[in-house]
Amino acid sequence: MNRFRPCLLIHHRHLHQLQNAGPLRSHLKSRSVIRFSGPDTIKFLQGLLSNDERRFGESPHEDNSPVVPPMYAALLTPQGRFLYDFFLYRQSRSEEKLDRNGSVEILADVDGSVLDELLATLKKYRLRSKVDIENVAEDFYCWQRYGRGLSEKTPSVEEPVAASVGWRGGDDHSGNSASHGNDGGWQWFKDPRLDCLGFRGIFPSGTTPPLVESDKETDEDKYLLWRLEKGVAEGSTEIPKGEAIPLEYNFAGLNAISFDKGCYVGQELIARTHHRGVIRKRLLPLKFLDNNGKEVERKVTAGSEVINTASGKKTGSVTTAFGFCGMGVLRLEEAFKGSDSLTILGQEDIKVEAIRAAWWPSEWFRDQQHTAVA
């Protein structure tokens, strides 16, 4: 499945408007929520997922704030290939139901298109672990706040005044009392992957998330555009299930992998690739242009091969296409060889512009240079 939607035209002015808009808010209908509970919850997740879930086991604060901000993680195949991604939340103390056995509840925001398959996979791994895994998609919804107007210097849990800044840039003081959510403690958190992605949260269905008066609600497609600009894939639809290598999809830079924790499913390939030190292919933002440099709409689909006409070599492939924007996993040495050398195989009149994402760590550029020399 791909994210190309031929009925929708994304013109340059629409992207320009998105880039200059204040905070936008989208209900992520492509995502669902599951719940883990039971005395073995932390142990179960720790042995399964790519991040270090032990910090969810810390004792709650005395106030009603959550123990830790949410965490991004992935479930891999035993061979280290991507299967599913998770945004993990530990509920606030006021909501969490602790019993004498130390049971902890963790909510997970997951890809809704593979929900049944994901639940079956998790239950296969559960064996005799004392953990319940429930589909609570009808009870909770996933939301994202994003846009140019959001400060990237605010804390991981929004402060009341910072949270009340509306999309027009004015202060909505009526939002102060609601900035940390309702009495149940539901609230917005900094996206655990990148500050530039904005804020993310899980909220009870049938309720309006905080700051609805201040924000401008918009379609989830705008959130997809926001991620395309930054080269951040999400879910098993955009990250090929059973095929994608997490480090090539920049999971280390997205805070989805702990290299210090113990064993988990698929760890061997991740550790070996990481310690080798060079990632030759990475997921990049792409734009599709004609020979005059103008954006080309609806001409490229996911799965299209990208070639470098200067060298005659295959550079990679498009993983997501949406209007004239997209993402693709490309060989870095070939991707940045020449400004006009990338085209779509079989559609040589379409040029591909590969973009270095602004959030990339500086060492990734050094890796590219090292690869080119090698």
Side-chain angles (χ1 to χ4, degrees):
M1 182 184 295
N2 62 62
R3 296 297 296 264
F4 179 69
R5 300 168 190 179
C7 62
L8 181 62
L9 296 178
I10 304 296
H11 297 292
H12 179 76
R13 63 183 178 87
H14 292 149
L15 182 60
H16 178 76
Q17 291 171 353
L18 177 64
Q19 290 172 338
N20 291 279
L24 303 174
R25 187 194 51 160
S26 296
H27 170 201
L28 305 183
K29 297 179 182 179
S30 64
R31 308 291 293 187
S32 295
V33 181
I34 62 176
R35 178 166 54 206
F36 301 93
S37 61
D40 290 344
T41 295
I42 303 298
K43 181 180 178 182
F44 173 73
L45 294 175
Q46 181 70 1
L48 199 62
L49 304 184
S50 61
N51 218 329
D52 193 345
E53 286 74 24
R54 288 175 298 182
R55 57 189 177 96
F56 281 126
E58 299 173 4
S59 299
H61 294 279
E62 291 303 319
D63 57 18
N64 286 333
S65 64
V67 178
V68 290
M71 180 186 302
Y72 189 52
L75 175 60
L76 312 178
T77 68
Q79 295 76 33
R81 306 286 175 155
F82 173 86
L83 280 178
Y84 314 105
D85 64 351
F86 298 74
F87 293 84
L88 300 168
Y89 300 76
R90 179 174 175 176
Q91 291 181 277
S92 67
R93 183 169 183 164
S94 61
E95 284 291 294
E96 193 171 58
K97 300 175 182 178
L98 295 171
D99 59 28
R100 293 180 181 179
N101 294 322
S103 179
V104 173
E105 288 191 0
I106 301 291
L107 293 178
D109 157 357
V110 299
D111 187 342
S113 69
V114 292
L115 180 59
D116 291 341
E117 176 187 312
L118 168 60
L119 288 169
T121 301
L122 291 171
K123 290 175 181 178
K124 178 185 71 174
Y125 278 110
R126 180 173 56 184
L127 300 176
R128 297 185 179 181
S129 297
K130 296 179 180 179
V131 55
D132 293 322
I133 306 168
E134 305 170 79
N135 176 4
V136 291
E138 297 298 321
D139 300 324
F140 299 97
Y141 290 158
C142 307
W143 296 81
Q144 189 88 16
R145 290 183 65 222
Y146 54 99
R148 298 294 179 191
L150 289 177
S151 170
E152 296 183 8
K153 296 182 179 180
T154 49
S156 57
V157 179
E158 286 194 302
E159 295 298 329
V161 174
S164 66
V165 177
W167 70 279
R168 297 182 184 272
D171 288 342
D172 176 11
H173 296 288
S174 66
N176 288 355
S177 61
S179 64
H180 287 277
N182 55 26
D183 293 338
W186 308 101
Q187 60 197 79
W188 296 102
F189 295 89
K190 269 287 180 70
D191 192 300
R193 297 167 295 179
L194 298 169
D195 286 351
C196 63
L197 290 174
F199 291 80
R200 200 173 182 103
I202 290 177
F203 298 94
S205 59
T207 65
T208 302
L211 307 175
V212 65
E213 299 86 0
S214 304
D215 278 353
K216 184 178 180 180
E217 185 173 351
T218 189
D219 191 89
E220 186 178 351
D221 287 339
K222 292 293 195 303
Y223 171 57
L224 171 59
L225 252 177
W226 187 251
R227 288 191 291 103
L228 289 179
E229 179 189 346
K230 290 152 182 58
V232 177
E234 181 175 299
S236 303
T237 300
E238 298 174 11
I239 310 172
K241 186 164 56 69
E243 301 176 11
I245 297 175
L247 295 182
E248 293 183 349
Y249 279 74
N250 304 323
F251 269 44
L254 298 175
N255 301 311
I257 298 174
S258 170
F259 297 104
D260 300 321
K261 66 177 287 185
C263 295
Y264 60 90
V265 177
Q267 180 197 28
E268 184 177 351
L269 175 67
I270 299 300
R272 185 170 66 247
T273 305
H274 172 69
H275 292 300
R276 189 176 61 199
V278 177
I279 310 299
R280 301 183 183 277
K281 296 190 294 182
R282 287 192 182 275
L283 184 72
L284 300 169
L286 305 176
K287 286 187 179 180
F288 310 118
L289 313 170
D290 64 19
N291 289 322
N292 297 318
K294 295 182 179 180
E295 293 88 358
V296 176
E297 301 277 355
R298 301 188 300 168
K299 298 292 186 180
V300 180
T301 60
S304 299
E305 291 190 3
V306 179
I307 60 173
N308 187 316
T309 55
S311 65
K313 295 180 179 179
K314 177 183 175 181
T315 303
S317 60
V318 176
T319 59
T320 305
F322 190 61
F324 65 83
C325 299
M327 292 183 286
V329 176
L330 307 183
R331 292 182 64 86
L332 298 180
E333 180 184 0
E334 298 290 329
F336 300 111
K337 234 175 193 179
S339 58
D340 294 324
S341 59
L342 300 183
T343 65
I344 298 296
L345 181 64
Q347 297 175 280
E348 282 71 19
D349 57 328
I350 298 178
K351 304 298 181 184
V352 179
E353 179 185 353
I355 303 168
R356 294 180 178 90
W359 62 268
W360 274 25
S362 59
E363 57 265 25
W364 289 5
F365 296 105
R366 291 196 297 270
D367 288 349
Q368 177 194 334
Q369 294 169 355
H370 179 272
T371 301
V373 172

